[in-house]
Amino acid sequence: MTDHFHTIVIGAGSGGLTVAYGLASLGRRVALIEARHVGGDCTNVGCVPSKMLIHLAGQRGSDATTVFAEVRRRRDALRAQETQEFGAVANLSLIIGQARIVAPHQVAVALPHGSERILTARHIVVATGTRPRLLTVPGLPAERALTNERIFEIDHTPCHLAIIGGGAIGVELAFAFRNLGSRVSIIDIAPRVLTRYPPEASRAIEESLRTRGVALHLNTRVDSYDEAAHTLRIECAGQTTSLDEVDAVLIAVGRERNVEGLGLEKAGVRVTPRDGIVTDAYGRTSAPNIFAIGDVTATSAFTHSANAQGRRVVQRIAFPWLPARDPEPLYPGVVFSDPEVATVGLSPQQIAQRYHPHLIKRIFINLATQTDRGYTDDVQQGFIIVDAIRLTGRILGVTIVAPKASEMVSFFTLAIQESISLYRLYRIVYPYPTFSSGIQKVADTFLRDTLTGLRHELGTYLRYRLANPRGAIGSALEGAVVN
């Protein structure tokens, strides 16, 4: 028996749920296929349990057993709620099973009890996400090896948690487990933690980690584990040392896209090792009726970006006559460390590739010393860095390190996306005392430096506005002073 739908969505994570609910609410008949749990990584092994763990671990007198039990209870309650809610949506059929595309408009679903169900649809949306990249450590027993999928199932704090990987997952959980009383060590082959973020952010977080007693072993690789001695051998610059009393190892060395076994190549969907499923700005793949969103694509690495891509796919499928000229929106990145790190816009490396260095005005505001909220809250680490075009005040990239950087970054996301210059930010009134008054300090600094040195700023802008970093002539990407 074959069931026909308007759209089949494979994967019930953030992006898949957005598409399925959006189209169903518009009257389209949708099949939503999920192999494991509704909510995907975010609800079950990612954002939700990790942020609950961070929150509960930071409370005074936190008991580890109680904390882990509460994290699982609240996560499971949310999963059950989402499963019930989406299972009851009109026009939406929630199907638990393993999906495989067998033709451009046909999907076979292997059901849990062993039978198979064949579905057809005008459109197919792939939103299967990622899984942890595994790393083999010689001698490490399976029960001591943890990933983000297993770490929330433990019911006690390790005596010594070794974290392999200094990215967002490793750093966030390092703070949480240190707050719960574990001895924590981070090992990474890179020279700094959070290598996807600017060096200034890395230095601030490294200092915060060390202050809290987290040991950092950078430029270091893992050699092996000795079960009898409970030691993890690591190597740095040819020298091997051992970390003692290591009873758990968290492997956080990246993610791998879930694209295997989906039948993508047979359906004419282009997949590359670097970019995953190749799409246009609206999620359309090389097969015209198949879309892909979320972590299986090259441009999404967050729950919020998968959600945003899902919204664009709903627009493209439900209203194909609407213009489709807009590029993908900006996706801010956040690490929920202590303090938090948030970025949006171009990275320093991207700016250096596109613009002559003399054209860029970098503004650094120390939130600890230049805002009264930093003083009242005894902030030790906190700053805002803004890279903008000289004279015009056009913002290119922003880095925030602050207790609530995640709540501040959207202000700059709007400013960059809508070309709101620092001149306009100067005219906004900010409440006092808040960390957002640091944004006012950024605008104040830009206007003071620009207006007091106007002749120099104008000359520099006119000289370098058409020059690329190598001095060749490029296109002018900004006009006169804006907004």
Side-chain angles (χ1 to χ4, degrees):
M1 180 179 178
T2 300
D3 291 332
H4 184 72
F5 295 86
H6 178 275
T7 299
I8 297 171
V9 180
I10 304 174
S14 172
L17 291 174
T18 299
V19 174
Y21 181 80
L23 291 175
S25 66
L26 292 171
R28 275 63 168 183
R29 188 165 181 248
V30 179
L32 175 61
I33 306 169
E34 173 54 48
R36 299 178 68 182
H37 300 297
V38 170
D41 273 9
C42 180
T43 296
N44 297 285
V45 296
C47 311
V48 170
S50 67
K51 303 314 168 280
M52 284 192 289
L53 179 63
I54 291 169
H55 169 68
L56 295 173
Q59 296 180 350
R60 289 183 178 273
S62 298
D63 172 70
T65 301
T66 303
V67 166
F68 288 122
E70 180 65 5
V71 167
R72 288 191 292 271
R73 184 194 69 78
R74 294 176 63 181
R75 176 202 62 188
D76 294 348
L78 179 60
R79 175 201 297 163
Q81 177 185 335
E82 289 181 336
T83 303
Q84 180 181 11
E85 289 178 350
F86 281 94
V89 172
N91 303 311
L92 195 160
S93 295
L94 176 61
I95 303 170
I96 302 301
Q98 188 72 46
R100 184 178 85 261
I101 302 172
V102 295
H105 294 272
Q106 190 175 75
V107 173
V109 184
L111 302 175
H113 51 73
S115 64
E116 185 174 75
R117 184 175 176 183
I118 303 298
L119 314 177
T120 60
R122 185 183 307 175
H123 306 285
I124 298 173
V125 180
V126 179
T128 48
T130 60
R131 62 185 183 277
R133 179 177 292 123
L134 300 180
L135 178 71
T136 300
V137 179
L140 180 66
E143 63 271 16
R144 297 196 187 280
L146 304 173
T147 66
N148 72 294
E149 293 184 346
R150 290 191 55 208
I151 198 162
F152 303 109
E153 305 307 317
I154 66 176
D155 55 10
H156 67 282
T157 55
C159 173
H160 185 178
L161 175 65
I163 301 176
I164 306 175
I169 293 175
V171 165
E172 289 182 2
L173 292 179
F175 280 105
F177 276 86
R178 190 72 189 105
N179 285 338
L180 286 171
S182 289
R183 178 182 167 194
V184 179
S185 299
I186 294 179
I187 305 103
D188 202 305
I189 60 174
R192 60 187 176 93
V193 302
L194 302 179
T195 54
R196 293 189 177 185
Y197 292 80
E200 295 87 350
S202 297
R203 288 194 291 269
I205 298 306
E206 287 172 6
E207 182 176 335
S208 182
L209 286 165
R210 289 190 176 103
T211 299
R212 286 162 174 77
V214 175
L216 300 181
H217 302 275
L218 305 176
N219 293 306
T220 301
R221 72 173 189 87
V222 173
D223 179 77
S224 60
Y225 183 81
D226 186 336
E227 172 65 11
H230 287 184
T231 59
L232 183 69
R233 296 190 183 95
I234 58 176
E235 180 186 328
C236 178
Q239 299 294 318
T240 300
T241 58
S242 295
L243 304 182
D244 62 350
E245 298 182 329
V246 174
D247 51 346
V249 177
L250 171 63
I251 299 171
V253 292
R255 311 286 296 174
E256 293 184 347
R257 298 182 177 96
N258 294 320
V259 295
E260 301 87 355
L262 292 174
L264 296 171
E265 293 79 2
K266 182 180 292 187
V269 176
R270 184 175 172 230
V271 182
T272 69
R274 188 188 72 172
D275 297 329
I277 301 177
V278 179
T279 68
D280 66 12
Y282 280 81
R284 191 186 299 273
T285 71
S286 52
N289 69 300
I290 300 178
F291 296 79
I293 56 175
D295 294 358
V296 292
T297 70
T299 56
S300 175
F302 310 105
T303 296
H304 49 274
S305 55
N307 175 273
Q309 289 179 333
R311 292 169 181 266
R312 289 165 68 84
V313 167
V314 170
Q315 174 189 325
R316 195 88 301 265
I317 291 176
F319 308 106
W321 41 267
L322 286 176
R325 296 187 296 269
D326 292 338
E328 284 199 60
L330 294 173
Y331 300 136
V334 177
V335 181
F336 292 88
S337 47
D338 187 9
E340 295 176 353
V341 177
T343 60
V344 69
L346 298 178
S347 68
Q349 293 82 1
Q350 291 170 323
I351 292 173
Q353 292 169 358
R354 301 184 190 192
Y355 298 92
H356 195 284
H358 291 327
L359 191 62
I360 305 304
K361 173 74 173 177
R362 167 163 282 204
I363 301 167
F364 180 98
I365 298 298
N366 189 321
L367 296 175
T369 61
Q370 292 180 264
T371 65
D372 288 350
R373 184 58 182 270
Y375 178 77
T376 62
D377 288 18
D378 194 28
V379 170
Q380 302 300 311
Q381 292 282 349
F383 56 80
I384 301 174
I385 297 176
V386 174
D387 289 313
I389 298 290
R390 287 186 179 275
L391 188 69
T392 70
R394 178 185 172 187
I395 303 170
L396 299 177
V398 175
T399 298
I400 306 173
V401 174
K404 291 296 180 182
S406 58
E407 306 294 341
M408 298 170 63
V409 71
S410 294
F411 191 98
F412 284 109
T413 304
L414 175 66
I416 296 174
Q417 193 160 305
E418 300 302 320
S419 298
I420 299 173
S421 73
L422 288 169
Y423 293 96
R424 286 187 65 186
L425 297 191
Y426 175 81
R427 300 197 294 268
I428 294 175
V429 178
Y430 301 81
Y432 176 90
T434 59
F435 289 115
S436 64
S437 65
I439 302 172
Q440 185 176 45
K441 298 281 188 179
V442 170
D444 288 349
T445 301
F446 175 80
L447 259 72
R448 182 196 64 217
D449 293 350
T450 299
L451 297 181
T452 57
L454 189 57
R455 178 178 295 180
H456 169 75
E457 295 296 314
L458 178 60
T460 302
Y461 174 77
L462 292 176
R463 181 177 181 182
Y464 293 106
R465 69 187 181 96
L466 297 180
N468 71 15
R470 297 174 181 82
I473 300 300
S475 59
L477 298 180
E478 55 284 327
V481 175
V482 293
N483 294 328

